[in-house]
PDB file of all heavy atoms in Angstrom:
ATOM      1  N   ALA A   3      26.915  20.952  19.659  1.00  0.00           N
ATOM      2  CA  ALA A   3      25.536  21.093  19.374  1.00  0.00           C
ATOM      3  C   ALA A   3      25.275  22.619  19.277  1.00  0.00           C
ATOM      4  O   ALA A   3      25.877  23.428  19.702  1.00  0.00           O
ATOM      5  CB  ALA A   3      24.641  20.515  20.339  1.00  0.00           C
ATOM      6  N   ARG A   4      24.108  22.942  18.538  1.00  0.00           N
ATOM      7  CA  ARG A   4      23.663  24.389  18.463  1.00  0.00           C
ATOM      8  C   ARG A   4      22.669  24.634  19.616  1.00  0.00           C
ATOM      9  O   ARG A   4      21.635  23.976  19.663  1.00  0.00           O
ATOM     10  CB  ARG A   4      23.001  24.662  17.201  1.00  0.00           C
ATOM     11  CG  ARG A   4      22.414  26.048  17.073  1.00  0.00           C
ATOM     12  CD  ARG A   4      22.077  26.382  15.658  1.00  0.00           C
ATOM     13  NE  ARG A   4      23.169  26.796  14.813  1.00  0.00           N
ATOM     14  CZ  ARG A   4      23.230  27.231  13.628  1.00  0.00           C
ATOM     15  NH1 ARG A   4      22.091  27.421  13.107  1.00  0.00           N
ATOM     16  NH2 ARG A   4      24.270  27.596  12.971  1.00  0.00           N
ATOM     17  N   ALA A  24      32.764  28.762  25.031  1.00  0.00           N
ATOM     18  CA  ALA A  24      34.044  28.424  25.477  1.00  0.00           C
ATOM     19  C   ALA A  24      34.153  26.902  25.483  1.00  0.00           C
ATOM     20  O   ALA A  24      35.202  26.287  25.435  1.00  0.00           O
ATOM     21  CB  ALA A  24      34.353  28.924  26.885  1.00  0.00           C
ATOM     22  N   LEU A  41      12.697  30.362  15.560  1.00  0.00           N
ATOM     23  CA  LEU A  41      13.938  29.737  15.266  1.00  0.00           C
ATOM     24  C   LEU A  41      13.869  28.263  15.437  1.00  0.00           C
ATOM     25  O   LEU A  41      14.415  27.533  14.636  1.00  0.00           O
ATOM     26  CB  LEU A  41      14.997  30.328  16.327  1.00  0.00           C
ATOM     27  CG  LEU A  41      15.424  31.831  16.070  1.00  0.00           C
ATOM     28  CD1 LEU A  41      16.288  32.307  17.252  1.00  0.00           C
ATOM     29  CD2 LEU A  41      16.255  31.911  14.857  1.00  0.00           C
ATOM     30  N   ILE A  49      19.119  22.351  21.323  1.00  0.00           N
ATOM     31  CA  ILE A  49      18.650  22.497  22.668  1.00  0.00           C
ATOM     32  C   ILE A  49      18.277  23.955  23.028  1.00  0.00           C
ATOM     33  O   ILE A  49      18.920  24.858  22.413  1.00  0.00           O
ATOM     34  CB  ILE A  49      19.859  22.044  23.757  1.00  0.00           C
ATOM     35  CG1 ILE A  49      20.206  20.636  23.478  1.00  0.00           C
ATOM     36  CG2 ILE A  49      19.426  22.398  25.201  1.00  0.00           C
ATOM     37  CD1 ILE A  49      21.394  20.193  24.328  1.00  0.00           C
ATOM     38  N   ASP A 100      12.587  19.427  29.792  1.00  0.00           N
ATOM     39  CA  ASP A 100      13.385  18.250  30.154  1.00  0.00           C
ATOM     40  C   ASP A 100      14.113  18.455  31.461  1.00  0.00           C
ATOM     41  O   ASP A 100      14.590  17.556  32.089  1.00  0.00           O
ATOM     42  CB  ASP A 100      14.380  18.010  29.004  1.00  0.00           C
ATOM     43  CG  ASP A 100      13.581  17.657  27.728  1.00  0.00           C
ATOM     44  OD1 ASP A 100      13.201  18.571  26.897  1.00  0.00           O
ATOM     45  OD2 ASP A 100      13.461  16.429  27.489  1.00  0.00           O
ATOM     46  N   THR A 104      17.831  26.210  38.606  1.00  0.00           N
ATOM     47  CA  THR A 104      17.646  27.540  39.454  1.00  0.00           C
ATOM     48  C   THR A 104      18.980  28.312  39.258  1.00  0.00           C
ATOM     49  O   THR A 104      20.017  27.778  39.556  1.00  0.00           O
ATOM     50  CB  THR A 104      17.148  27.254  40.747  1.00  0.00           C
ATOM     51  OG1 THR A 104      16.022  26.395  40.745  1.00  0.00           O
ATOM     52  CG2 THR A 104      16.864  28.566  41.440  1.00  0.00           C
ATOM     53  N   ALA A 194      16.355  -5.429  35.226  1.00  0.00           N
ATOM     54  CA  ALA A 194      16.216  -4.416  34.142  1.00  0.00           C
ATOM     55  C   ALA A 194      16.417  -5.007  32.748  1.00  0.00           C
ATOM     56  O   ALA A 194      15.854  -4.482  31.798  1.00  0.00           O
ATOM     57  CB  ALA A 194      17.318  -3.284  34.412  1.00  0.00           C
ATOM     58  N   ALA A 195      17.367  -5.985  32.672  1.00  0.00           N
ATOM     59  CA  ALA A 195      17.650  -6.540  31.345  1.00  0.00           C
ATOM     60  C   ALA A 195      16.597  -7.533  30.876  1.00  0.00           C
ATOM     61  O   ALA A 195      16.344  -7.711  29.685  1.00  0.00           O
ATOM     62  CB  ALA A 195      19.119  -7.281  31.390  1.00  0.00           C
ATOM     63  N   ARG A 274       9.419  10.087  27.257  1.00  0.00           N
ATOM     64  CA  ARG A 274      10.566   9.893  26.340  1.00  0.00           C
ATOM     65  C   ARG A 274      10.807   8.432  25.977  1.00  0.00           C
ATOM     66  O   ARG A 274      11.214   8.173  24.744  1.00  0.00           O
ATOM     67  CB  ARG A 274      11.762  10.422  27.012  1.00  0.00           C
ATOM     68  CG  ARG A 274      12.949  10.377  26.247  1.00  0.00           C
ATOM     69  CD  ARG A 274      14.177  11.017  26.946  1.00  0.00           C
ATOM     70  NE  ARG A 274      13.992  12.527  26.949  1.00  0.00           N
ATOM     71  CZ  ARG A 274      14.568  13.243  27.895  1.00  0.00           C
ATOM     72  NH1 ARG A 274      15.329  12.761  28.802  1.00  0.00           N
ATOM     73  NH2 ARG A 274      14.368  14.558  27.876  1.00  0.00           N
ATOM     74  N   LEU A 324      22.479 -24.489  -5.649  1.00  0.00           N
ATOM     75  CA  LEU A 324      21.415 -23.417  -5.375  1.00  0.00           C
ATOM     76  C   LEU A 324      20.398 -23.561  -6.467  1.00  0.00           C
ATOM     77  O   LEU A 324      20.814 -23.534  -7.664  1.00  0.00           O
ATOM     78  CB  LEU A 324      22.076 -22.087  -5.395  1.00  0.00           C
ATOM     79  CG  LEU A 324      21.229 -20.847  -5.147  1.00  0.00           C
ATOM     80  CD1 LEU A 324      20.694 -20.770  -3.719  1.00  0.00           C
ATOM     81  CD2 LEU A 324      21.785 -19.535  -5.620  1.00  0.00           C
ATOM     82  N   ALA A 367      11.148 -16.789  -0.495  1.00  0.00           N
ATOM     83  CA  ALA A 367       9.869 -16.683  -1.327  1.00  0.00           C
ATOM     84  C   ALA A 367       9.524 -15.224  -1.633  1.00  0.00           C
ATOM     85  O   ALA A 367       9.453 -14.476  -0.761  1.00  0.00           O
ATOM     86  CB  ALA A 367       8.753 -17.370  -0.633  1.00  0.00           C
ATOM     87  N   PHE A 403      -9.883 -22.276  -4.765  1.00  0.00           N
ATOM     88  CA  PHE A 403      -9.569 -21.015  -4.033  1.00  0.00           C
ATOM     89  C   PHE A 403     -10.865 -20.206  -3.827  1.00  0.00           C
ATOM     90  O   PHE A 403     -11.618 -19.941  -4.757  1.00  0.00           O
ATOM     91  CB  PHE A 403      -8.632 -20.189  -4.872  1.00  0.00           C
ATOM     92  CG  PHE A 403      -7.167 -20.608  -4.873  1.00  0.00           C
ATOM     93  CD1 PHE A 403      -6.693 -21.956  -5.047  1.00  0.00           C
ATOM     94  CD2 PHE A 403      -6.166 -19.671  -4.510  1.00  0.00           C
ATOM     95  CE1 PHE A 403      -5.454 -22.283  -5.180  1.00  0.00           C
ATOM     96  CE2 PHE A 403      -4.856 -20.086  -4.535  1.00  0.00           C
ATOM     97  CZ  PHE A 403      -4.486 -21.404  -4.816  1.00  0.00           C
ATOM     98  N   VAL A 452       5.357 -28.630 -14.267  1.00  0.00           N
ATOM     99  CA  VAL A 452       6.766 -28.291 -13.912  1.00  0.00           C
ATOM    100  C   VAL A 452       7.692 -28.571 -15.048  1.00  0.00           C
ATOM    101  O   VAL A 452       7.688 -29.738 -15.476  1.00  0.00           O
ATOM    102  CB  VAL A 452       7.207 -28.918 -12.623  1.00  0.00           C
ATOM    103  CG1 VAL A 452       8.630 -28.617 -12.229  1.00  0.00           C
ATOM    104  CG2 VAL A 452       6.295 -28.535 -11.400  1.00  0.00           C
TER     105      VAL A 452
END
Side-chain angles (χ1 to χ4, degrees):
R4 173 169 285 188
L41 289 170
I49 297 176
D100 295 85
T104 304
R274 180 177 291 156
L324 178 78
F403 281 53
V452 173

